[in-house]
Amino acid sequence: MNPINEERLLKEFLEFVQIDSESGNEKAMGQRLCEVLKDLGLEPITDEAGKTYHSNGFNVFARFPGEGEPMVLSAHMDTVVPGNGVKPVIKDGVIYSDGTTILGGDDKSGICGILEAVRVIQENNLPHRPAEIIFSIGEEGGMRGAKAFDCSQLKSKRAYIFDSSGEVGKVIVGAPGQIKVFADVVGRRAHAGLAPEEGISAIQVMAKAIAKMNLLRIDAETTCNIGTIKAEYATNIVPDRCSIIAEVRSRNFDKLNAQAEHIRQCLQEACDEAGATLEWNPVTNYVSYNIPEDSAIVTDLLSCIEKIGREKLVTLGGGGSDANIYNQKGIQAVVLGTGMTKVHTTSESIKIVNLNDTARLALALLTMEAVR
């Protein structure tokens, strides 16, 4: 395995995390990635994905020619809030923020690993497989960049998504789908002191419905949670509208839909009992995927993990990623750990050794002998 340039890799990571790129504001990061790809002799292609969710950013796509079966290497450029003004700090071989922001290793560690692998191949004139490189936007807000990406331009049948916490060597072969539920109970307004019996309290109806719902951990594959309940009225008004926003996740498609239907039934029964009306709007945000552990995409990956001396961990995920979208679009995709920890918090960090090994794994994938 040819060595990566650890000093260069670290320098680029520190540069990238200091470029503001919260979801919806990825333009500067996208522009910088286009510059870097051009410096590598590649031709970046951008799109108008940002217009689909009021972002100033765009997906960045580039082809890295090689011999054999192509593969997608991907990571996302957007971060969660608070992600502006990141000031990276290095202590005892670990990179942190200064504690006022996230670090942005999610997912700039993946971006840097892919870019460093390309550089090493070019510098050492190594035989390698073709790569279709995708740096997406809007992943944190529901994989909106991947959803808008035109996959018809891809030749690859498999995709490696560098975007998970956990050690390098972690492979996520399955993840749940998600239905987002937006529901309103509509009652009847009345004066709470003079004629409360003339009203139908939407809050009361909603409370009765929620009390009957199975929530949180449903089974090993399924979860359900209500994140928002909203109804703001003066205390002398019987409220005529109460809203909830909830989510259902499951790695089983039938269970996903069944749990959403359970929520609807609880709401509808409570509305029918009180004479209220239900406004129901479920949105399938993404669907689940399950990749067999003996499939080529996994076995090739595990051999590469072994090659760089890391421990292999094949597991299932609990959240969505761009892999959900690519699998839905017919491209077999798995998610790889990059060693980032405590993501989405101001305590986020990544060990420099994990940053290095992320690049080594990308390099191993591109130069692996197996061609299927």
Side-chain angles (χ1 to χ4, degrees), residues 121-338:
I121 288 170
Q122 291 180 332
E123 291 170 348
N124 294 276
N125 196 28
L126 300 177
H128 64 279
R129 297 169 68 167
E132 296 181 307
I133 299 169
I134 305 172
F135 297 134
S136 65
I137 60 173
E139 193 274 346
E140 299 292 2
M143 291 78 74
R144 290 172 292 194
K147 289 176 181 176
F149 184 77
D150 178 12
C151 285
S152 68
Q153 63 192 312
L154 298 177
K155 298 179 180 179
S156 302
K157 301 302 181 183
R158 64 170 70 174
Y160 296 100
I161 315 299
F162 288 79
D163 181 26
S164 176
S165 57
E167 293 296 313
V168 177
K170 177 181 177 182
V171 183
I172 297 176
V173 296
Q178 184 199 66
I179 293 177
K180 205 75 168 284
V181 170
F182 303 87
D184 284 48
V185 168
V186 182
R188 185 165 60 241
R189 187 179 296 215
H191 194 290
L194 297 178
E197 61 279 351
E198 295 180 6
I200 299 174
S201 171
I203 291 177
Q204 185 179 35
V205 175
M206 184 69 79
K208 288 182 178 180
I210 292 173
K212 294 180 180 180
M213 292 179 189
N214 295 324
L215 298 172
L216 303 181
R217 172 63 65 184
I218 308 304
D219 58 34
E221 298 180 299
T222 312
T223 62
C224 181
N225 184 57
I226 297 173
T228 299
I229 302 175
K230 184 176 182 180
E232 297 183 64
Y233 293 83
T235 57
N236 65 348
I237 298 173
V238 175
D240 61 348
R241 184 175 289 270
C242 184
S243 306
I244 63 167
I245 303 176
E247 69 161 38
V248 181
R249 299 183 189 226
S250 182
R251 291 191 293 271
N252 182 295
F253 183 74
D254 291 336
K255 290 179 179 180
L256 180 73
N257 287 305
Q259 180 62 25
E261 175 60 16
H262 165 70
I263 295 175
R264 191 200 66 79
Q265 287 180 351
C266 290
L267 290 165
Q268 190 63 63
E269 289 172 4
C271 286
D272 291 345
E273 181 182 342
T277 301
L278 174 63
E279 294 181 357
W280 172 254
N281 182 27
V283 177
T284 301
N285 205 8
Y286 48 89
V287 299
S288 62
Y289 72 91
N290 289 281
I291 306 297
E293 292 186 29
D294 61 354
S295 60
I297 186 174
V298 178
T299 56
D300 284 352
L301 176 56
L302 293 180
S303 68
C304 290
I305 293 170
E306 184 175 353
K307 184 176 182 180
I308 66 170
R310 296 299 295 247
E311 184 177 349
K312 296 171 285 189
L313 173 62
V314 179
T315 188
L316 300 173
S321 71
D322 285 350
N324 290 73
I325 308 305
Y326 294 130
N327 276 293
Q328 186 178 351
K329 292 184 176 185
I331 299 169
Q332 205 172 39
V334 294
V335 182
L336 285 60
T338 68

Side-chain angles (χ1 to χ4, degrees), residues 95-113:
I95 311 169
Y96 306 86
S97 73
D98 65 358
T100 63
T101 68
I102 55 134
L103 175 62
D106 181 12
D107 186 27
K108 294 172 184 178
S109 58
I111 291 174
C112 290

